[in-house]
Amino acid sequence: MTSEDVATRRSFALIGHAGDGKTSLAEALLHAAGATPSLGRVDDGSSTLDHWPEEKERRHTLSSHVFTFEHRGHVVTLVDTPGDANFSGEGQICLAALDAAVLVVSAVDGVKVGSDAMWRASQRLGLPALAFVNGMDRERADLERTLEALSKLDGARPVAVTVPIGAEHGFEGVVDVLRGVAVRPDGEGPVPEALRAAVSAARDRIAEAVAESDDALIEKYLEEGTLSDAEVAQGLVSGVRAGRLLPVLCGAAPASKGTAPLLDAILAWLPSPADRPARSARALEGNGELQLAADPAAPFTALVFKTVIDRYAGTLSLFRVWSGTVQHDSGILNATTGVRERLGKLMRVRGAEHVDVAQAGPGDIVAVAKLKEVRTGHALTAEKKGARLAEIPIPTGALSYAIRARAKDDEDKVFSSLGRLVEEDPTLHLGRDPATGEFLLTGIGELHIRIAVGRLKRLYGVEAELRTPKVPYRETVIGRAENVEGKLKKQTGGKGMFGVCYLTVEPLPRGAGFEFVDEIVGGAIPRNLIPAVEKGVVEAAVHGPLAGFPVVDVRVRCIDGKYHSVDSNEMAFKIAGSVGFKAAVEKARPTLLEPIMNAEIAVPSESVGDIMGDVSGRRGRVQSSEARGGSQVIKAQVPMAEMLEYASALTSLTGGKGAFRMEFSHYEEVPAQLREKIVADAQAKRAQET
Ligand SMILES: Nc1nc2c(ncn2[C@@H]2O[C@H](COP(=O)(O)OP(=O)(O)OP(=O)(O)O)[C@@H](O)[C@H]2O)c(=O)[nH]1
Ligand SMILES: [Mg+2]
C-alpha cells in the first residue's frame, strides 16, 4: 500500500439517539454510492445493516454494523451504531478505531440524551465530525431550532452548509450552498429563485464561521468583509479536520433527500488516516514510546474493535490498521497478550457479507477469522519491530441478573454459548456471585440482557432463565477510626506466626475509590512486609463487613505495627491487615451506597402527572420536564434498585406510549431504614449458607 492509497481512506461512525435515522441514512449513503443494488429500508426489513433477525423485528439497531465500499476513488468504511443506551457501549468501542463521526439528529426533536452521549464520546476521542439533521419531511421539522440545539453541544461550532427546499410534506431536497446547486433525488438543478437570498446568507455565515476558526483568515475577513470560494473551501476542510467546525447538512434519509451532498462532504471534508494526529505506542523491542503516523511502510500496528460471530465463517475479529501494511496469510503478534497468531484471509466487511482482499494498510478496516486469543480491544502488531498501541477501553454495565439454564441438561451448553456472546459483546459480562455462587450476567440495562438471552436461543438453540437483577451496592464509612489494631499471634508447635498493624480508616469523597497509604516510619513493620498488609486490606475490602459488598471511597493509613524477627512473615501480616481493616471499618460508622441512575423518560403530556408521581414513589428526584417534539421529557435521578423493571411499569402507565433510557450516574448513601433491611437480608443469606 502507498501513501496515495492512504489518502483515499475514510472511516466514520453514524452516531445519535435511537430512531433518529442513522440506519436509514447509512442505507441511503450506500445506495447513493452504488454499494447496494437497491435502497435498504428499516421498516420493511430490507436493511443491509440491521441484519440480525432481532433488529428486523424490533426495527432498532442492536449492535454496530460495518460496511466498506468504494466510491469515486475512495475506500470508505461506515459503521452504523445503535442509539439505544443499552447498546451504545459497543458503539463507543468502535469510535475508538475510526477517524470521524457523523452525528444524526432529528429535525423535529433535536438533540436528545442519546445524541449528547455519543457526541461526548466522539469528542473525548477528538474525532472530526459532520452533523445531519434528518426527518426534514416530518411535521414540525425545524432546521433553525435544531441548529440552535446543536450549538449547545459541548465543543460544537455548527454551521449549516445546505438549505432545505420546501418544508415538512413539501420537502423536496436541499441547496448545496458552496456549489450553488439544488440537489433533489432525481438530479441537480439551479437554485430556486425564492431561496437565493437564504442561500447567499448561508454562504456568508459559512465564510464567517470559517474565518473565526482560522487565525490567518480572520484578518483577511475583517479587512475585506468576505473570503474567496477557494479560501472558504480550504478553511472548511482544515476547520473540520481540526475539530473546530461542525458542518451541518439536512435531509430525509429514507427518501434519499439531502444524502448525496452528505456523501460528497464525507469524501471532501472528513480526514484521511494521514490527517489524524499520530498515536502513541510502546515499542516492543527496547522500551521507548513511539509516535505512530499512518505510514504504510512502518511496522504493522492495529486495534481490534469488534468481534462478530458469523454463522459460516465462525468468530471474526475486525481490526483497524493504524500503521504498516499486512498481507493475508502472514504471522503477527498480539501485542496485548504476547501470543503469536497467523492471519488467514483478510476480508472487507459489507454488512453480513465479506469480500477477500490481499492486504490492508493504514485506515483499512478488515476482518479475519479464527484468531486464537484475540479479543475486542486488543492491540495487534508485526512480529518484528512491533509496537503496542493503547488498548481500547471497554465500557461495562452495572445491572446484573442471576442466570441459569432452563433445563439442567443444557447447563454446559448455555454457559459455553454465553461465553461466546460475551466475546462478541464485551460490554456484557458473565461472572459468579461470590456470596451465592450463582452465575451473573451483567450488562448495561434490562433490554441488553434480554436481547442476549434471546440470541442465545436463536443462535445456539438453548434457553436460559433470568432472575431478579442484583443491585451492585457498595460499602463505605462515614466516620473515622484511628489506630485500630490488627493482630495475628499464633504459636503452634515450633514456629509461630506474628504480625501487628495499626490502621486508621477515613472516608474519601464519592467516586474516589480505595486508597492504601503506607505511613510506617522507623521500621515498625519491615519494608518488605508492608505490601502484605496492603494485600490483606485489599482482600478484606472485596467483601465489606456490613453486608459483603465491596468497600469503596475509603483511605486506609497504616501508621504503626510490631514484628518479630523469627515469627513474622507475609502471611502473618496479610492476616493482620485483613483483621485490622475489618475492625477499623466497623468502628468508622460503616454504611451502604447504592447506584443512582440518570433517567430520561419521554411520555405523552397527559401522562406527565402519573409519571412524576411514580418517580417520587421510587425515591426519585425529578430534575426537569420539558416539551420536545410531541411529547414531554422528564429527567430524573432515581436509585437503580427502584428502576430494575421500569420498562413494564412505563408501558402500563402510558399505554405503551412512553420511552425511557437511563445510565449510571453516581453512588449515594442508602437511607437508614432500607439499609437495615438489605443488611438483614445479606446476613440471613450468609447464615443459610453456613
Ligand atoms: N419521515 C421520516 N422518517 C424517517 C426518516 N429517517 C428515518 N425515518 C424512520 O424512522 C424510523 C427509525 O429509523 P432508523 O434509521 O432505524 O433509526 P436509527 O437511528 O438507526 O435507530 P436505532 O437503530 O434505534 O438507533 C424508521 O421507521 C424510519 O423509516 C426521515 O427522514 N423521515
Ligand atoms: Mg439503526
Side-chain angles (χ1 to χ4, degrees):
M1 190 158 160
T2 66
S3 307
E4 285 78 48
D5 295 328
V6 176
T8 66
R9 279 5 185 210
R10 296 288 180 279
S11 66
F12 67 94
L14 289 154
I15 58 172
H17 193 88
D20 282 355
K22 296 175 293 300
T23 303
S24 304
L25 182 58
E27 295 291 346
L29 291 172
L30 291 176
H31 189 55
T36 47
S38 56
L39 177 64
R41 292 187 185 281
V42 173
D43 299 328
D44 63 9
S46 66
S47 165
T48 6
L49 291 158
D50 279 357
H51 59 79
W52 287 5
E54 291 83 357
E55 293 176 322
K56 292 194 187 296
E57 184 192 306
R58 304 183 77 93
R59 297 197 182 154
H60 279 293
T61 307
L62 303 175
S63 176
S64 50
H65 297 295
V66 178
F67 201 114
T68 300
F69 59 99
E70 294 188 26
H71 185 55
R72 297 209 311 254
H74 290 76
V75 178
V76 185
T77 298
L78 155 170
V79 177
D80 178 29
T81 67
D84 190 305
N86 279 281
F87 310 98
S88 58
E90 201 258 349
Q92 291 182 14
I93 299 173
C94 295
L95 283 181
L98 302 172
D99 288 325
V102 172
L103 174 67
V104 181
V105 294
S106 155
V108 179
D109 30 35
V111 173
K112 289 175 270 190
V113 243
S115 344
D116 189 52
M118 289 304 281
W119 169 260
R120 276 187 279 126
S122 77
Q123 287 290 292
R124 281 195 292 275
L125 294 161
L127 294 184
L130 304 174
F132 188 82
V133 177
N134 188 41
M136 289 297 295
D137 59 336
R138 293 172 55 200
E139 262 174 54
R140 293 190 307 276
D142 187 335
L143 180 60
E144 285 309 315
R145 196 181 55 215
T146 313
L147 281 165
E148 179 67 32
L150 284 169
S151 69
K152 293 195 179 118
L153 284 173
D154 248 14
R157 278 265 207 98
V159 54
V161 295
T162 56
V163 168
I165 307 173
E168 300 187 343
H169 299 302
F171 177 67
E172 294 171 25
V174 299
V175 173
D176 180 330
V177 174
L178 293 182
R179 287 176 57 226
V181 291
V183 188
R184 296 185 180 82
D186 58 0
E188 296 188 351
V191 176
E193 194 59 45
L195 287 179
R196 289 256 165 88
V199 171
S200 161
R203 193 209 174 271
D204 290 347
R205 276 197 297 272
I206 299 173
E208 191 183 327
V210 163
E212 280 171 1
S213 77
D214 187 313
D215 290 344
L217 291 176
I218 188 79
E219 277 178 39
K220 176 157 192 262
Y221 181 77
L222 291 176
E223 262 167 40
E224 299 178 16
T226 183
L227 295 177
S228 72
D229 287 352
E231 284 162 340
V232 170
Q234 189 45 47
L236 205 49
V237 170
S238 44
V240 172
R241 292 182 182 176
R244 289 191 299 264
L245 283 177
L246 176 68
V248 182
L249 299 94
C250 68
S256 289
K257 291 176 182 166
T259 48
L262 177 64
L263 188 56
D264 294 342
I266 287 164
L267 301 193
W269 299 336
L270 291 184
S272 86
D275 302 314
R276 301 294 318 286
R279 269 194 199 206
S280 58
R282 184 159 293 283
L284 294 181
E285 293 164 25
N287 225 349
E289 185 89 2
L290 298 174
Q291 290 302 319
L292 285 180
D295 174 3
F300 165 70
T301 60
L303 285 174
V304 179
F305 67 94
K306 192 170 171 65
T307 304
V308 174
I309 304 171
D310 184 87
R311 199 190 295 185
Y312 307 104
T315 304
L316 298 178
S317 299
L318 274 63
F319 61 82
R320 181 253 161 83
V321 180
W322 184 256
S323 64
T325 307
V326 70
Q327 314 291 331
H328 69 107
D329 290 329
S330 54
I332 55 144
L333 182 70
N334 181 339
T336 304
T337 60
V339 175
R340 281 176 200 286
E341 299 265 5
R342 194 143 196 98
L343 299 182
K345 282 195 298 189
L346 297 175
M347 294 168 274
R348 278 192 187 151
V349 180
R350 296 168 64 86
E353 290 168 7
H354 324 106
V355 288
D356 296 357
V357 281
Q359 59 171 11
D364 276 332
I365 285 166
V366 290
V368 287
K370 295 194 184 67
L371 293 179
K372 269 179 291 183
E373 289 175 31
V374 171
R375 298 283 178 275
T376 298
H378 283 185
L380 308 179
T381 190
E383 284 183 308
K384 292 202 184 90
K385 291 197 181 155
R388 179 173 173 180
L389 292 166
E391 281 78 15
I392 304 178
I394 308 289
T396 48
L399 185 68
S400 299
Y401 278 76
I403 183 165
R404 63 173 177 214
R406 177 151 287 169
K408 197 97 185 99
D409 292 351
D410 277 351
E411 201 150 85
D412 287 352
K413 192 150 185 231
V414 164
F415 288 104
S416 65
S417 310
L418 264 175
R420 298 188 64 190
L421 281 188
V422 168
E423 213 181 296
E424 186 183 38
D425 178 358
T427 65
L428 275 175
H429 176 79
L430 184 64
R432 240 182 151 140
D433 185 338
T436 62
E438 283 175 322
F439 280 97
L440 296 179
L441 187 59
T442 304
I444 313 277
E446 185 184 347
L447 184 62
H448 189 206
I449 290 173
R450 294 206 181 278
I451 292 284
V453 170
R455 295 190 72 224
L456 201 62
K457 185 167 176 206
R458 174 172 66 83
L459 290 169
Y460 305 104
V462 286
E463 288 192 62
E465 262 174 12
L466 294 174
R467 277 192 305 117
T468 356
K470 310 263 170 182
V471 178
Y473 292 107
R474 297 286 181 261
E475 298 186 13
T476 192
V477 299
I478 46 175
R480 260 170 77 93
E482 281 184 56
N483 208 13
V484 179
E485 186 185 64
K487 181 171 175 179
L488 180 75
K489 187 178 175 187
K490 245 190 200 162
Q491 198 72 47
T492 40
K495 203 167 178 295
M497 293 267 273
F498 183 82
V500 179
C501 62
Y502 292 91
L503 304 176
T504 288
V505 161
E506 58 199 16
L508 285 177
R510 261 330 124 249
F514 191 88
E515 248 178 56
F516 179 87
V517 193
D518 162 17
E519 291 181 1
I520 295 291
V521 284
I525 300 174
R527 283 264 79 87
N528 62 329
L529 292 178
I530 295 170
V533 177
E534 177 169 6
K535 209 166 170 192
V537 167
V538 168
E539 279 180 16
V542 173
H543 302 292
L546 209 53
F549 298 106
V551 180
V552 298
D553 302 345
V554 163
R555 178 184 289 132
V556 181
R557 294 159 48 200
C558 181
I559 53 175
D560 202 358
K562 289 180 196 153
Y563 83 107
H564 186 281
S565 56
V566 179
D567 291 345
S568 283
N569 55 27
E570 281 188 18
M571 182 52 85
F573 271 101
K574 195 176 130 187
I575 296 173
S578 153
V579 170
F581 177 73
K582 282 186 198 152
V585 167
E586 271 166 18
K587 285 188 179 157
R589 296 171 51 210
T591 188
L592 275 187
L593 298 175
E594 63 177 340
I596 306 292
M597 309 299 281
N598 278 328
E600 194 176 298
I601 310 160
V603 295
S605 33
E606 66 269 18
S607 309
V608 168
D610 292 347
I611 295 294
M612 292 215 188
D614 180 67
V615 164
S616 320
R618 294 171 189 269
R619 298 190 284 127
R621 292 183 294 261
V622 173
Q623 292 177 313
S624 67
S625 167
E626 61 185 56
R628 188 188 286 158
S631 53
Q632 197 73 18
V633 177
I634 297 159
K635 289 188 185 171
Q637 290 202 322
V638 199
M640 181 198 274
E642 309 288 339
M643 292 294 277
L644 294 174
E645 267 140 13
Y646 189 64
S648 48
L650 184 63
T651 306
S652 65
L653 282 170
T654 60
K657 287 190 197 140
F660 85 108
R661 63 185 276 143
M662 63 177 185
E663 58 190 21
F664 170 75
S665 169
H666 63 280
Y667 273 95
E668 265 176 36
E669 209 181 325
V670 177
Q673 260 183 336
L674 274 172
R675 180 180 70 219
E676 276 158 31
K677 186 177 175 314
I678 296 163
V679 170
D681 284 353
Q683 279 164 356
K685 216 171 206 173
R686 259 186 280 180
Q688 223 175 35
E689 278 150 26
T690 49

